[in-house]
């Protein structure tokens, strides 16, 4: 799979017949909402967990020194809570460009807090993408994040804003919190 997945995403789903589409955000889409939306509601997806296992060549790192950002990893029995946005299909033009570094869009069932279910799109960087880094100990990930920076800013800002955004949603994600725990002393030493 190429580094730039925006052209693939345009081909993946024909959204032209949809008036609006639900989009599930589990990472930067929680705190960086630079797109118009019609409605937003906390939601979760089943069988997935967020992991800082994806390299970032274009936002929080560079091709020479990739940062570490989120993707979703299939984890039976786990639930990933995030924010769902109902958007006009033309918003994906912007998002496909923003999330072009290895992410593909997939339709998945979303469940809202009141139990209502809808189909929605989610961006996932699968293991076969060229920027995938894979697992590492949370202390190692924290050091990597502390040392990384790209055109969108410091990698540590991504982690800290995400952790704050999740707390506002009432979510304490153990993987994110462990990295934050190791990261904070590195930033202020
Ligand atoms: C998200 O917040 O859902 C997201 C994270 C990484 C890439 C694309 C989307």
């Amino acid at each position: 799979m190429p580094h730039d997945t925006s052209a693939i995403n345009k081909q993946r789903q024909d959204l032209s017949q949809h008036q609006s589409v639900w989009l599930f955000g589990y990472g930067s889409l929680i705190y960086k909402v630079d797109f118009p939306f019609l409605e937003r509601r906390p939601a979760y997806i089943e069988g997935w967990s967020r992991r800082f296992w994806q390299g970032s060549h274009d936002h929080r790192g560079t091709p020479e020194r990739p940062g570490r950002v989120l993707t979703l990893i299939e984890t039976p029995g786990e639930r990933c809570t995030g924010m769902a946005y109902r958007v006009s299909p033309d918003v994906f033009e912007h998002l496909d460009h923003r999330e072009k570094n290895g992410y593909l869009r997939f339709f998945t069932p979303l469940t809202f807090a009141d139990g209502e279910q809808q189909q929605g799109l989610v961006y996932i960087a699968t293991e076969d993408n060229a920027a995938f880094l894979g697992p590492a100990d949370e202390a190692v990930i924290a050091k990597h994040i502390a040392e990384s920076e790209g055109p969108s800013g410091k990698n540590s800002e991504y982690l800290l804003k995400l952790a704050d955004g999740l707390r506002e949603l009432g979510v304490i994600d153990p993987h994110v919190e462990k990295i934050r725990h190791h990261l904070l002393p590195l930033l202020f030493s």
Side-chain angles (χ1 to χ4, degrees):
M1 197 191 305
H3 273 285
D4 184 340
T5 42
S6 56
I8 302 176
N9 274 323
K10 273 194 207 356
Q11 312 289 324
R12 278 174 74 81
Q13 297 102 8
D14 178 13
L15 303 177
S16 60
Q17 301 307 309
H18 295 249
Q19 289 217 317
S20 65
V21 181
W22 281 101
L23 163 69
F24 179 74
Y26 58 92
S28 61
L29 292 178
I30 290 177
Y31 68 82
K32 186 177 178 192
V33 189
D34 59 354
F35 53 90
F37 60 88
L38 303 162
E39 175 183 5
R40 74 173 152 192
R41 298 167 70 184
Y44 64 81
I45 59 175
E46 299 272 17
W48 297 90
S49 46
R50 43 171 89 67
R51 290 287 180 267
F52 275 84
W53 290 6
Q54 173 67 2
S56 174
H57 297 206
D58 59 348
H59 283 298
R60 302 295 177 163
T62 63
E64 297 73 32
R65 291 175 61 88
R68 265 197 185 254
V69 292
L70 281 176
T71 186
L72 289 178
I73 300 295
E74 242 179 315
T75 319
E78 284 292 313
R79 178 180 280 189
C80 178
T81 298
M83 185 63 85
Y85 303 86
R86 191 163 64 82
V87 298
S88 161
D90 52 20
V91 164
F92 288 95
E93 187 82 26
H94 165 64
L95 291 175
D96 286 349
H97 179 74
R98 171 176 151 177
E99 308 301 355
K100 64 183 185 309
N101 194 192
Y103 293 88
L104 296 177
R105 301 186 214 135
F106 295 85
F107 268 114
T108 183
L110 311 181
T111 308
F112 300 105
D114 63 2
E116 183 192 343
Q117 291 200 319
Q118 293 278 352
Q119 285 291 115
L121 282 172
V122 60
Y123 285 93
I124 300 177
T126 54
E127 292 184 19
D128 55 353
N129 88 87
F132 191 76
L133 293 174
D137 186 84
E138 272 99 353
V140 173
I141 294 178
K143 186 163 184 296
H144 185 158
I145 288 175
E147 293 168 352
S148 299
E149 184 166 1
S152 297
K154 290 183 188 299
N155 205 167
S156 55
E157 179 193 48
Y158 178 112
L159 184 291
L160 297 175
K161 284 191 170 175
L162 171 74
D164 287 349
L166 288 174
R167 284 171 183 217
E168 280 169 29
L169 276 173
V171 175
I172 303 292
D173 182 310
H175 175 68
V176 175
E177 290 300 322
K178 276 184 212 155
I179 297 171
R180 183 174 179 276
H181 169 81
H182 291 292
L183 178 65
L184 287 176
L186 299 176
L187 298 181
F188 300 112
S189 62

